Amino acid sequence: MVRDMTEDPFEAIVATHHAEIHRYLVRATSRPGDADDLSQETFVRAYKAYRALPPDANVRAWLFTIATNLSRNHFRSEGRRRQAMAVVAVGASEHSPTWPEGEAIANQASARIDRLVATLPFKQRVAFTMRKVHELDYDAIGQSLDCSAESARAHVFQALRKIRQGLDDFDVVQTER
Amino acid sequence: MPGADPTLARAELESKLADIRSRMVAYGIFPSPLGRILIARSELGVSMVRYIDSDDAARSHIARLAGDEVVEDTTTLEPVYRELLDYLNARGTRLSWPLDLRWAKSEFQRRVLAATSDLPYGAVASYGGIAKRVGAPESVRAVAQALRHNPLPIVIPCHRVIGSTGDLTGYAGTRIGLKEQLLTLEGVPVSGGGHRVDRNHMYAWAGPDREYCVPSCGGLSEMPLAKLTLFGSRRHAEAVGLSPCSSCRPDLHPLPA
């Protein structure tokens, strides 16, 4: 007996992962409007390719890879880096995405961190986000960035250093007022 | 704030996926007793069966038809293939799939295909007979054309449609040998070097009653083939609910096997 022609396991993949990938892309692109387009493109590509995945594939890591590739290509082709810096400089704190509710960080501090993350180079920004927000392991991050787990670790380390430096600078400015 | 709420993005994604899904065609290429065949389906049902000589020719053919929404997916096509294989190995007489006639060329062709679908296993009718059934008794040539472009051979049994003289005439281009194989599989006697069905060796049903006869019954031998459905065996006639004619009694005087 032929099974129902309309059942589609991909619906479960969308239900499970869409919100998280969308959140990731909001940070990866620094522009929330782009996240809508890129998350749609991520899942459209995944839909066309998921049948070829092996049964034990890490679907979540695979989706992050697709999303990262799309955001990197988007970033390069549209030259958004300067624009992102300009957005940050104009004091875009009211447009910054907030951190997940579970984290106990004050709004002001989190907005500050967001601004700093948005100024990081692409690889550090996405590596940091994948590690600290989405808790992917370094193998998965490396897969997304097409580099080794060690390189992924280094990107996160560099990102942390710059963020801490940025926070220190802010504090120094505050105390000198 | 645009983009912060994924709900709208999710709704747009679902809409886009539904659109892609409706256009998407999955296919597989499989071996069979009749050679390699391609089977394709959409979300609505099986949409194409094609005899193929080379896998590359098949892929480019289907890519041309369906554009970039074509996916090779032998896994989901596997159950369809299994049923087809059972059928071709005489282990089943029904192919019970939903069909998607998206590649039918016209409303007329759809009607012809629907009428052809009604032909029972092990029975044959003429092109003229199909033309009558779709209410276009003069359009015999158009019926032949429509069946020549049948997107679902085997499933929609155009192999059960023959010329008015009993000649098999055409099939899937030059594949008349396949038509003979399918008819033989279904117990329809084929003679004349594989190119004719002899109505004198087949049971006949003229309607409108539900009785089937031997070919010599009443005025049957004078009736044009367009008015008849011919069966290769009593079993297949009775399988669709026909009973032996009370006059010529095929149950008492069956045709020689």
Side-chain angles (χ1 to χ4, degrees):
Chain A
M1 198 56 185
V2 179
R3 68 163 192 241
D4 178 9
M5 292 279 180
T6 58
E7 79 183 39
D8 188 353
F10 194 75
E11 301 208 357
I13 292 177
V14 173
T16 307
H17 298 289
H18 178 266
E20 184 184 29
I21 293 292
H22 186 271
R23 251 187 311 145
Y24 168 63
L25 285 168
V26 167
R27 288 196 177 81
T29 59
S30 305
R31 284 172 57 92
D34 293 344
D36 285 6
D37 292 338
L38 291 185
S39 61
Q40 182 175 118
E41 185 59 30
T42 298
F43 282 91
V44 165
R45 289 197 186 193
Y47 181 63
K48 293 182 181 179
Y50 85 98
R51 283 166 206 83
L53 283 179
D56 58 346
N58 183 341
V59 173
R60 186 172 174 247
W62 175 65
L63 290 170
F64 269 95
T65 302
I66 299 174
T68 305
N69 282 334
L70 284 171
S71 62
R72 174 172 44 207
N73 295 340
H74 179 79
F75 197 72
R76 281 184 193 149
S77 68
E78 310 235 354
R80 290 260 179 241
R81 182 187 290 267
R82 287 209 188 99
Q83 207 157 347
M85 297 283 272
V87 162
V88 164
V90 164
S93 61
E94 65 270 23
H95 298 303
S96 291
T98 52
W99 291 73
E101 290 84 359
E103 304 218 34
I105 301 177
N107 277 346
Q108 227 190 8
S110 80
R112 227 181 302 144
I113 291 173
D114 279 334
R115 282 209 296 282
L116 288 164
V117 169
T119 66
L120 292 172
F122 179 79
K123 282 188 184 174
Q124 290 175 20
R125 180 165 76 250
V126 298
F128 179 82
T129 305
M130 280 193 267
R131 181 69 190 157
K132 294 301 177 184
V133 177
H134 301 281
E135 295 172 357
L136 267 73
D137 61 50
Y138 286 110
D139 282 322
I141 298 173
Q143 185 191 332
S144 293
L145 288 173
D146 198 23
C147 67
S148 67
E150 274 315 300
S151 297
R153 193 184 296 270
H155 288 311
V156 174
F157 178 84
Q158 292 298 327
L160 272 170
R161 216 161 61 112
K162 287 200 180 117
I163 290 168
R164 288 185 181 125
Q165 188 70 49
L167 289 172
D168 281 344
D169 291 346
F170 184 85
D171 287 337
V172 165
V173 169
Q174 290 286 73
T175 53
E176 285 182 353
R177 284 220 184 108
Chain B
M1 144 167 84
D5 176 9
T7 314
L8 179 61
R10 167 87 182 261
E12 285 178 354
L13 170 66
E14 300 283 8
S15 170
K16 174 97 184 180
L17 288 179
D19 180 51
I20 293 174
R21 202 175 284 134
S22 74
R23 285 184 284 119
M24 183 164 271
V25 168
Y27 76 93
I29 298 175
F30 304 95
S32 88
L34 299 183
R36 292 178 76 65
I37 51 170
L38 177 151
I39 310 173
R41 52 151 277 213
S42 68
E43 65 167 352
L44 296 175
V46 179
S47 52
M48 172 179 283
V49 171
R50 189 158 287 274
Y51 301 104
I52 59 171
D53 301 312
S54 90
D55 291 10
D56 286 341
R59 286 194 184 98
S60 69
H61 171 81
I62 199 164
R64 245 187 305 123
L65 273 178
D68 58 0
E69 306 294 11
V70 172
V71 174
E72 181 161 13
D73 187 2
T74 45
T75 311
T76 50
L77 259 335
E78 184 82 18
V80 175
Y81 168 59
R82 293 275 149 221
E83 272 202 39
L84 188 70
L85 210 53
D86 279 349
Y87 179 89
L88 292 174
N89 286 320
R91 281 194 300 268
T93 62
R94 284 189 54 76
L95 293 168
S96 59
W97 315 324
L99 300 182
D100 178 1
L101 290 178
R102 63 175 56 199
W103 282 319
K105 291 177 197 275
S106 67
E107 189 50 41
F108 177 75
Q109 191 192 27
R110 281 200 186 88
R111 293 211 318 262
V112 168
L113 293 173
T116 305
S117 287
D118 288 340
L119 291 175
Y121 187 93
V124 295
S126 68
Y127 293 99
I130 299 291
K132 259 185 68 153
R133 283 165 212 232
V134 299
E138 307 298 313
S139 306
V140 181
R141 229 196 257 275
V143 166
Q145 255 317 83
L147 289 178
R148 192 164 166 265
H149 297 291
N150 178 8
L152 290 154
I154 310 175
V155 186
I156 295 182
C158 53
H159 58 278
R160 295 176 192 153
V161 185
I162 59 177
S164 58
T165 57
D167 283 341
L168 295 196
T169 64
Y171 188 73
T174 54
R175 295 182 171 92
I176 198 168
L178 296 179
K179 189 165 182 173
E180 184 203 345
Q181 273 183 269
L182 288 166
L183 288 173
T184 304
L185 172 78
E186 296 187 10
V188 173
V190 178
S191 55
H195 291 156
R196 282 197 78 237
V197 169
D198 185 352
R199 61 186 279 183
N200 293 319
H201 290 135
M202 298 187 67
Y203 299 94
W205 176 50
D209 59 21
R210 302 292 296 168
E211 293 187 335
Y212 70 94
C213 308
V214 295
S216 54
C217 181
L220 272 182
S221 50
E222 279 83 49
M223 280 178 100
L225 191 49
K227 294 193 174 176
L228 304 175
T229 303
L230 301 180
F231 287 86
S233 74
R234 289 182 50 216
R235 182 161 59 93
H236 291 137
E238 290 168 18
V240 292
L242 300 178
S243 17
C245 166
S246 41
S247 305
C248 67
R249 300 301 301 271
D251 49 335
L252 295 180
H253 312 292
L255 295 172

